[in-house]
Amino acid sequence: MATIVTKIITDKQEWEDFLTQNLEANFLQSWYWGEFHELLGKKIFRVGFYDDHKLVGVMLSIIEPARRGKYLTVPAGPIIDWGNRALVNSAFSEMKSIAQKHTCVFVRIRPQLLEDESSKLMFKENGFRNAQMHLHAELTSRLSITKSSEELLAQMRKTTRYEIRKAEKLGVEISISKDEKDVKQFYNYQLETAKRQKFVPFSYEFFLEQFKIFFEADKALLYTATIENKILAQAFIIFYGNEAVYHYGIGTEEGRKYPGAYLIQWEAIKEAKRRGMQFYNFWGVASEADKHHRFYTISIFKRGFGGEDTQYLHARDLVIHKPKYLINFGIEKLRKIIRRV
């Protein structure tokens, strides 16, 4: 069995070059996502896995401070060959070692693995258990955009195609911004959306630092749909690697009267095609069977563009400190009920 050597990677180019070669990698394991969390004052670790001096895997992990006990997260990673037992063992060992060294209560991971019996068994055999809460989007709607624009329009739901054309005929305008001052406006709308849909919003700092990092790298755009200078909808799209991701979005009261949100998505899809990307990821959707989920309506909107649902493995926890973890388990179980997720 091969001997895997681990070391901290400090070379951005080495990290990003490796991710470029791995189609399953997304922005959550990018160098930029790590920079973003560092700006928030969090401790991050960029670990490389080497076989005979060749980089064969990377893992970005982040220590999340919490009053109930800090914990280590591995978002959409590590990026490794999950069929390589030595590499998998090394990755699991490394995340456990980091968590223990920094007195974390547990490790939470949502890997880029489809949810099937083999992936469930692998994590169970390595001591992981189902997490009470998700870490990042697990059920997503992902659209292949390698077809022509005409073909993409043709495969959309009839209503979606109609709303795009209606927005164009009505004269809905789409603008694109990289200006930080527009982030504040977007955030204020986020607060209104959170109040209306009854969820807890991120802080302004969380949005601002994330925008700054990805804007500066030309890997994000803020789209705004307007008519007669009235804002209808906005969307923050991340362009990274092989796909564009509809990461955040808002709709205004005025936007209920006009299909601005549809036109934003279509323009973002066309931009992703111009950048040579293969997929457009609408990010999280609710199960089609869960009509009481607070994201059920927006999920209908997302699926209308013709993408396919992708179900990633539900977040898994590796318990490091059992007594504190049980407290955390109880708190998250209650939050899950309150937030209807």
Side-chain angles (χ1 to χ4, degrees):
M1 187 177 291
T3 299
I4 304 296
V5 175
T6 64
K7 69 175 185 179
I8 296 295
I9 293 180
T10 57
D11 186 338
K12 176 181 178 180
Q13 194 66 47
E14 181 182 19
W15 185 277
E16 286 297 306
D17 284 349
F18 180 82
L19 290 188
T20 300
Q21 298 165 18
N22 288 266
L23 297 182
E24 75 276 16
N26 75 12
F27 72 94
L28 293 171
Q29 280 289 298
S30 70
W31 188 272
Y32 310 100
W33 195 249
E35 284 185 320
F36 156 56
H37 281 278
E38 283 184 311
L39 286 173
L40 294 179
K42 298 177 185 178
K43 182 72 175 176
I44 72 159
F45 307 88
R46 296 188 182 97
V47 174
F49 302 96
Y50 296 82
D51 183 358
D52 192 23
H53 303 292
K54 179 183 178 181
L55 182 61
V56 293
V58 298
M59 181 177 74
L60 170 67
S61 59
I62 304 159
I63 291 182
E64 294 287 350
R67 282 177 292 183
R68 61 184 184 275
K70 61 184 176 182
Y71 57 98
L72 185 74
T73 66
V74 184
I79 303 302
I80 59 175
D81 175 3
W82 290 96
N84 183 327
R85 180 174 294 184
L87 187 51
V88 170
N89 289 342
S90 182
F92 284 152
S93 177
E94 185 65 18
M95 62 183 75
K96 183 177 181 179
S97 174
I98 293 172
Q100 289 176 330
K101 181 178 180 180
H102 295 273
T103 62
C104 294
V105 176
F106 61 94
V107 177
R108 177 160 294 169
I109 175 174
R110 199 284 274 152
Q112 288 289 84
L113 276 174
L114 297 182
E115 186 165 79
D116 55 31
E117 293 308 312
S118 63
S119 58
K120 290 178 184 177
L121 181 60
M122 175 172 56
F123 276 81
K124 183 178 180 180
E125 289 178 342
N126 283 277
F128 287 80
R129 59 174 294 169
N130 260 359
Q132 267 294 305
M133 301 289 285
H134 65 274
L135 181 55
H136 290 284
E138 296 174 351
L139 177 60
T140 70
S141 179
R142 201 167 184 234
L143 174 67
S144 171
I145 58 175
T146 55
K147 296 179 181 179
S148 68
S149 295
E150 292 73 22
E151 290 174 310
L152 289 175
L153 279 167
Q155 74 181 43
M156 292 179 188
R157 188 179 292 141
K158 183 179 179 180
T159 304
T160 302
R161 189 166 56 250
Y162 169 78
E163 296 290 3
I164 290 172
R165 288 171 174 165
K166 180 181 176 182
E168 291 173 334
K169 289 178 181 178
L170 288 173
V172 172
E173 297 182 353
I174 305 298
S175 60
I176 299 173
S177 173
K178 290 184 180 181
D179 197 324
E180 290 178 22
K181 68 178 177 58
D182 294 323
V183 177
K184 183 61 176 176
Q185 180 185 58
F186 179 78
Y187 181 70
N188 289 336
Y189 281 122
Q190 272 283 326
L191 294 180
E192 292 179 15
T193 302
K195 185 176 180 180
R196 185 169 63 248
Q197 297 185 1
K198 299 179 180 179
F199 66 87
V200 180
F202 292 109
S203 68
Y204 174 61
E205 181 189 22
F206 184 90
F207 274 102
L208 179 62
E209 299 302 345
Q210 189 175 156
F211 276 62
K212 285 164 60 178
I213 287 292
F214 284 93
F215 282 168
E216 288 171 5
D218 191 31
K219 296 188 181 299
L221 294 171
L222 178 62
Y223 285 79
T224 301
T226 60
I227 191 165
E228 297 176 354
N229 295 320
K230 298 174 184 175
I231 292 180
L232 309 176
Q234 291 186 299
F236 175 46
I237 313 295
I238 291 179
F239 299 88
Y240 183 82
N242 201 35
E243 68 177 13
V245 178
Y246 173 30
H247 202 204
Y248 304 110
I250 62 93
T252 66
E253 287 297 321
E254 191 69 25
R256 293 170 180 261
K257 305 173 188 176
Y258 303 94
Y262 288 89
L263 192 55
I264 280 180
Q265 294 304 316
W266 181 228
E267 290 301 321
I269 288 169
K270 290 190 289 184
E271 175 63 23
K273 283 178 65 63
R274 282 191 289 270
R275 293 184 182 222
M277 295 177 168
Q278 295 184 38
F279 294 97
Y280 188 87
N281 195 333
F282 287 89
W283 214 227
V285 290
S287 167
E288 291 187 271
D290 189 359
K291 295 184 178 181
H292 298 292
H293 196 287
R294 62 187 173 90
F295 293 141
Y296 184 75
T297 301
I298 187 66
S299 299
I300 294 175
F301 163 77
K302 292 179 177 181
R303 288 189 172 104
F305 289 85
E308 294 184 0
D309 282 5
T310 300
Q311 179 67 66
Y312 292 107
L313 184 69
H314 176 61
R316 293 301 198 259
D317 289 347
L318 180 65
V319 180
I320 305 297
H321 191 291
K322 190 172 182 179
K324 289 184 178 180
Y325 180 79
L326 292 176
I327 295 172
N328 182 86
F329 184 89
I331 293 173
E332 289 193 332
K333 187 173 183 179
L334 181 61
R335 286 182 175 177
K336 188 175 181 180
I337 295 171
I338 294 172
R339 296 179 183 178
R340 297 186 292 130
V341 294

